[in-house]
Amino acid sequence: MDVSGGHVLIPIPGAIPAPWGVFEFLDILTFIVHLLLMNMVVGGSIILLFSRLKRSISNGQGAPTIGGPAEALVNNIPSALALTITFGVAPLLFIQVLYGHFIYSSSVLMAVYWLLVVPLLIIAYYGVYIFARKSGTRGLLPMAVISASCVIFLYVMWTFVNNMTLMLHPENWAEYFNRRGGTILNTGDPTVWPRFLHFLVASVAVAGLISSLIWWIRKKRSNADASADNKVKSGLKIFSYATALQVGIGIWFLVALPREILLKLMGGDPLFTVIFILGFAAVIAVLVTGFLGKLAATSWLLLVTVILMVINRANLRTLYLEPYFSPGSLENTPQYSVMFLFFLVLVAGLAAVGYMLKVSFQTAEGGAK
Ligand code: HEM
């Protein structure tokens, strides 16, 4: 990696109020929640779009219902989108504490695309709401709104991948002196496409598995129709095939990494190598249980895989930024009373969200057939 010139453009970071590991841990934790919710929203919307498309083609002139396992997600997607955004704000807080001087810089360089995310997400929000209300009706409206929401989700995903990688490349920031309008992306980076596809295919896989779980719960509570068994199976099938595809995309992502970083993951850094190997082993295990149709084992293994992959992603960030910065070098000026207050509010907030989810799930499942 040629990093010549990059150092000059990096702003000087401020002090942090607690040891850096606290923020890294919270960043990883809250990002896992953001990721799973985002997967449910994006993957769920894509599966719903395709199910509806399939029905429209086979039924001739517009299908009144959606069908397929993701039918279970229709009414949950609007709330899941609200939670995706809430749980996006949390890692945004933590990432800015440690890496603010990188992510603010990259956000300014691509400000036009970055700021567009907000109004577009508001439109997508309306889209999934309208779809939830109109999915049982014929005509073009449901199809139009869910298609528009899917396009927006892909745009947001693309923008995030660009920002999360542009922040790792200060050596490319000098492009600002040629283009000052906030339209710089990181598309020259060979990892951008595989990284984007990695998130996209994972979304479809996770949404398939979540649908499967919802049908399984409904069946257990015996408020599901006879087709629930098939839907449990087909959700798991979507998960397994998408995850098999993911192996290929993951390998593409790996070989697109700069050579010195790849070597660190392949033995150069013992801890990072162990995490990487465990992540790979978890993917193989989840594939086996997925294709064997074992829902509970697949769900637990998926959780383990996601945790390992998110740690892997944080390790990659550390390796990319190594020539410039390490969070351990930040000055720590402890403010424990503020941190205590923060944790108190965090726990109270999580309890409130948990209660809200419980009530909304009970209401939704009470009405589900
Ligand atoms: C449906 C809308 C959204 C989608 C599809 C989405 C997608 C993504 C993706 C794919 C990544 C990983 C990018 C990468 O590592 O290359 C990501 C990371 C992130 N997203 Fe979201 N996102 C959405 C909404 C939001 C919102 C509204 C916020 C903030 C309010 C947010 C905050 C974050 C943060 C802070 C990260 C990085 C976390 C970290 O590195 O620890 N996201 N998002």
Side-chain angles (χ1 to χ4, degrees):
M1 240 182 340
D2 175 20
V3 297
S4 50
H7 292 86
V8 185
L9 301 170
I10 305 169
I12 297 165
I16 51 174
W20 72 272
V22 173
F23 297 105
E24 188 81 36
F25 171 76
L26 289 170
D27 177 52
I28 288 176
L29 191 71
T30 51
F31 180 59
I32 290 170
V33 183
H34 172 63
L35 195 63
L36 289 172
L37 288 162
M38 179 277 276
N39 286 170
M40 179 173 160
V41 170
V42 179
S45 303
I46 293 173
I47 301 174
L48 285 170
L49 170 63
F50 277 93
S51 303
R52 183 150 186 128
L53 207 61
K54 209 169 122 192
R55 287 224 158 181
S56 296
I57 292 167
S58 54
N59 287 11
Q61 13 120 344
T65 54
I66 309 149
E71 210 178 321
L73 297 178
V74 178
N75 292 323
N76 297 318
I77 287 184
S79 346
L81 178 55
L83 287 171
T84 302
I85 295 169
T86 310
F87 278 95
V89 175
L92 195 59
L93 289 177
F94 301 124
I95 199 177
Q96 71 172 4
V97 173
L98 297 180
Y99 306 100
H101 47 317
F102 291 93
I103 196 169
Y104 282 150
S105 307
S106 54
S107 302
V108 170
L109 297 181
M110 57 178 294
V112 172
Y113 304 104
W114 189 239
L115 292 177
L116 256 181
V117 164
V118 180
L120 285 176
L121 270 183
I122 294 172
I123 296 172
Y125 209 44
Y126 278 104
V128 287
Y129 259 117
I130 296 172
F131 186 73
R133 293 193 160 249
K134 299 282 177 189
S135 62
T137 61
R138 289 180 179 273
L140 275 180
L141 180 68
M143 194 66 155
V145 289
I146 192 71
S147 307
S149 298
C150 283
V151 171
I152 292 174
F153 293 145
L154 296 191
Y155 170 83
V156 176
M157 195 179 262
W158 174 244
T159 308
F160 268 95
V161 170
N162 268 280
N163 201 356
M164 293 298 141
T165 53
L166 185 59
M167 70 172 266
L168 305 176
H169 288 286
E171 70 280 6
N172 295 343
W173 296 353
E175 177 61 15
Y176 172 75
F177 299 106
N178 302 323
R179 276 196 284 161
R180 292 173 184 242
T183 56
I184 296 170
L185 285 171
N186 195 39
T187 43
D189 181 338
T191 66
V192 165
W193 272 111
R195 191 165 172 143
F196 171 75
L197 288 177
H198 203 54
F199 283 112
L200 177 59
V201 174
S203 299
V204 174
V206 172
L209 190 65
I210 293 176
S211 312
S212 196
L213 276 172
I214 296 179
W215 285 111
W216 179 78
I217 293 170
R218 285 185 183 174
K219 205 183 75 176
K220 276 212 110 183
R221 294 186 172 176
S222 65
N223 57 350
D225 59 29
S227 66
D229 255 337
N230 279 341
K231 286 174 179 161
V232 171
K233 279 188 196 138
S234 54
L236 202 52
K237 216 161 144 186
I238 293 176
F239 170 81
S240 308
Y241 281 105
T243 306
L245 177 64
Q246 192 70 281
V247 175
I249 296 169
I251 292 172
W252 175 16
F253 187 5
L254 202 62
V255 297
L257 290 172
R259 202 179 137 69
E260 50 278 39
I261 290 186
L262 178 64
L263 291 178
K264 290 242 166 112
L265 287 185
M266 299 273 181
D269 185 306
L271 182 62
F272 291 180
T273 306
V274 169
I275 300 284
F276 173 70
I277 292 173
L278 286 177
F280 196 77
V283 172
I284 303 300
V286 87
L287 259 180
V288 172
T289 56
F291 277 112
L292 287 177
K294 304 215 174 303
L295 182 61
T298 307
S299 308
W300 286 112
L301 278 169
L302 173 76
L303 195 62
V304 173
T305 310
V306 170
I307 293 170
L308 288 166
M309 289 291 166
V310 171
I311 298 175
N312 228 338
R313 173 176 171 275
N315 294 344
L316 262 184
R317 177 164 59 201
T318 305
L319 291 173
Y320 266 105
L321 293 181
E322 215 170 32
Y324 306 107
F325 164 77
S326 131
S329 66
L330 289 170
E331 189 192 336
N332 177 9
T333 46
Q335 288 181 305
Y336 291 119
S337 52
V338 178
M339 284 302 293
F340 177 73
L341 199 65
F342 169 77
F343 281 115
L344 212 64
V345 174
L346 183 72
V347 171
L350 286 178
V353 171
Y355 178 70
M356 186 186 78
L357 280 180
K358 192 175 154 211
V359 172
S360 93
F361 189 71
Q362 279 166 350
T363 314
E365 289 306 300
K369 292 190 187 70

